[in-house]
Amino acid sequence: MTEKEKVLNEQLKALKEQKQDLDFETQKNAIKKQWSLLDQFAATAAKNGKGDTKEEKPAFQLDAAYFKGMKEFMQQYKEIGKQLEEERLSLEKKNQELDKKIETVEKNLSEVRGNWNSGHESRECVIVLEAEKETKVSLTVSYVVLAASWSPSYDLRMFTDEGNLKIFYYGLIRQWSGEDWTNVKLFLSTAEPSVGGSIPLLPMTQLAVRKIRVTAAKKGGGFGFAMAKRSMVSQEDHGQNLRESNFCYDAPPAPPPMAMAMAAPIQMADIQVTESTTSTTYEIARQSTIPSDNTEHKVTVAIIDLKPTLSYLTIPKVVPHAYLQAKVTNSSPYTLLAGRTNIFLDNSFVAKAEINAVSPKEEFECSLGVDPGVRVDYKPLIKVNSSSGIISKTQIITYEQAIEIKNVHDYAVKVLVRDNLPRSLDEKIKVNLLVPAIDLKHPEKSEKVKLTKNNHIEWEVELKGTEKSELVLKYSVEHPANEDLETTTTMAN
């Protein structure tokens, strides 16, 4: 039995003794009986003086003394009831806390026993040293342990007055190896040993015409032919859908999922970032203690100072707010792995987000959350119906959408405003952009507004301090009057 298991056994024994001393069920039943007696006494007091028959007179009179006594009784009932309820809640809270502690200790004990008693072998390392004469030897032994991993986490702190972005790079370490790491020197590696080192084989894809089975069926003295139904094979390949009944496509197997692993704690002296051909290793400056409890423990990898270029993006049709974005180059030697971030704007927490993997010297963009200093008002949509034509009537629907952007800061900002223009999938339906005026043949002439390949209208708006601007999107939709429009929404890449 390991020392860790002994400690956990002692904790579990002490908690179960506390649970037994608490005697939850007995005390709970006692409180219920006290409540029952109190309610019976109240019912008896309420019925006191009432006769069993109509001729029998009550034993009390509705005078001042009666109401005074009833008031005092109700006050006593309230105080005693409050005391009983407090005792019940306190008892249940103590019982729940003990159950939670026992569950945690049992879980940790099960993990320790599972690591050392089932599925793992006990091994012994024998080291033989030879020397010509008696000498003092300093021996360092390193070994690999399982059940240890780490994941990145970040705090992004933007200081608008200074124009600085600080990235607090953390490592969230968890391990359940069966031994506690106490005051150890940690190194976090970006290597992914779980992916494996063997290069996978690429299977060969073959296409052939599916053979159609034809069978003869006799009916009514004659012969007819019944054709077997061909199965449809659907497979996505580079964004295109293959929906051919006479083709089949065998996709290569998906690669195994990636997982991050962590090296065993070893002792080193200098703080440094070590790069190899395939990975990067970060040294944690302070010594850390990571117990074998399979819970996350935060350590600081680095604090990175960067100079970003700030801009705003708003998509008011979806969310009528302006998001502050930072475009920045990772000038540090640290590789930022994909992970979750907490975003702070001038020391105020604003949101949670995700960050993609970023290499040193690589430029990237990250969202800094909503800035209430840039206000967005998405006005109600104005819709006008009209028609044209005598024989074949055409219905024309004109839409007008106004968007107001206001900068309440005392400094200038740049805001990219994005809204969508419907795209026709049928030649009978025509969409005409009226406002803003964009030369689709020469889009480079329109610097401040453009139409993207996803049919999005984008305005680049520059607002001085306390300035506001109103943008208008106006378009018409023409379609046959005897046919209804069907609207579908898809997410563009």
Side-chain angles (χ1 to χ4, degrees), residues 236 245 286 327 345 481:
E236 285 191 6
S245 60
R286 295 182 178 179
K327 181 180 289 186
L345 190 61

Side-chain angles (χ1 to χ4, degrees), residues 415-455:
V415 185
L416 180 65
V417 184
R418 185 179 295 160
D419 206 344
N420 66 343
L421 178 69
R423 172 176 287 171
S424 173
L425 300 178
D426 194 320
E427 61 182 8
K428 298 179 183 179
I429 304 173
K430 295 182 180 180
V431 180
N432 302 310
L433 178 62
L434 305 177
V435 179
I438 299 177
D439 188 350
L440 299 180
K441 295 183 179 180
H442 305 282
E444 66 277 0
K445 294 182 180 180
S446 304
E447 296 181 358
K448 299 299 182 180
V449 60
K450 63 180 180 179
L451 178 65
T452 69
K453 64 179 182 179
N454 296 321
N455 239 42

Side-chain angles (χ1 to χ4, degrees), residues 126-417:
V126 178
I127 300 174
V128 179
L129 300 177
E130 294 184 1
E132 294 182 356
K133 60 180 180 179
E134 184 177 348
T135 182
K136 187 177 180 180
V137 176
S138 178
L139 186 64
T140 301
V141 178
S142 64
Y143 56 96
V144 177
V145 296
L146 300 176
S149 63
W150 76 281
S151 60
S153 176
Y154 306 90
D155 281 355
L156 272 61
R157 295 181 177 269
M158 182 66 209
F159 301 93
T160 54
D161 292 339
E162 304 171 5
N164 290 335
L165 174 65
K166 286 184 178 290
I167 299 181
F168 290 78
Y169 192 167
Y170 300 114
L172 303 180
I173 304 172
R174 63 167 65 214
Q175 65 97 0
W176 56 106
S177 62
E179 56 180 349
D180 293 337
W181 301 347
T182 306
N183 294 328
V184 296
K185 191 70 175 178
L186 290 174
F187 291 82
L188 304 183
S189 173
T190 62
E192 296 176 335
S194 61
V195 176
S198 301
I199 300 175
L201 298 177
L202 181 64
M204 180 172 59
T205 302
Q206 298 175 332
L207 300 177
V209 176
R210 184 185 295 274
K211 294 181 179 180
I212 302 173
R213 182 179 301 173
V214 180
T215 59
K218 186 176 180 179
K219 182 179 181 182
F223 289 91
F225 290 93
M227 184 178 294
K229 185 178 180 181
R230 296 177 291 181
S231 61
M232 302 294 289
V233 178
S234 174
Q235 175 68 37
E236 285 191 6
D237 185 18
H238 301 291
Q240 298 180 352
N241 292 330
L242 301 179
R243 297 186 182 274
E244 299 293 335
S245 60
N246 57 342
F247 286 99
C248 61
Y249 175 79
D250 293 326
M258 294 186 295
M260 287 173 286
M262 184 177 66
I266 53 178
Q267 300 290 333
M268 291 284 287
D270 299 327
I271 300 175
Q272 58 184 355
V273 176
T274 306
E275 292 189 10
S276 67
T277 306
T278 58
S279 65
T280 304
T281 301
Y282 305 132
E283 177 186 359
I284 305 303
R286 295 182 178 179
Q287 290 188 334
S288 306
T289 296
I290 312 295
S292 177
D293 56 4
N294 196 21
T295 59
E296 291 182 343
H297 298 271
K298 181 186 290 187
V299 297
T300 301
V301 177
I303 300 176
I304 305 171
D305 289 309
L306 301 173
K307 281 285 184 181
T309 301
L310 300 180
S311 63
Y312 289 88
L313 171 64
T314 178
I315 308 176
K317 187 173 185 178
V318 182
V319 180
H321 295 290
Y323 290 85
L324 181 60
Q325 288 186 312
K327 181 180 289 186
V328 62
T329 300
N330 182 14
S331 57
S332 73
Y334 295 91
T335 298
L336 305 180
L337 303 175
R340 58 185 186 265
T341 65
N342 298 313
I343 302 172
F344 296 84
L345 190 61
D346 293 328
N347 289 323
S348 296
F349 175 76
V350 292
K352 290 180 177 287
E354 298 287 333
I355 189 172
N356 297 324
V358 181
S359 300
K361 309 303 179 185
E362 182 181 356
E363 186 180 70
F364 68 100
E365 289 185 352
C366 59
S367 173
L368 299 178
V370 173
D371 184 0
V374 179
R375 298 175 184 174
V376 182
D377 186 9
Y378 199 65
K379 306 286 187 178
L381 180 67
I382 299 175
K383 181 179 176 181
V384 178
N385 289 310
S386 61
S387 61
S388 65
I390 299 175
I391 300 175
S392 58
K393 288 190 176 182
T394 300
Q395 185 174 2
I396 304 173
I397 308 174
T398 302
Y399 300 88
E400 184 174 343
Q401 178 65 62
I403 307 170
E404 184 181 272
I405 311 296
K406 185 176 181 180
N407 176 23
V408 299
H409 293 296
D410 55 0
Y411 51 84
V413 297
K414 293 182 179 180
V415 185
L416 180 65
V417 184

Side-chain angles (χ1 to χ4, degrees), residues 84-98:
L84 290 175
E85 190 64 15
E86 288 176 352
E87 290 179 3
R88 184 186 66 83
L89 292 175
S90 176
L91 180 65
E92 289 184 352
K93 183 178 180 181
K94 289 179 181 179
N95 187 64
Q96 290 175 359
E97 289 176 351
L98 283 173

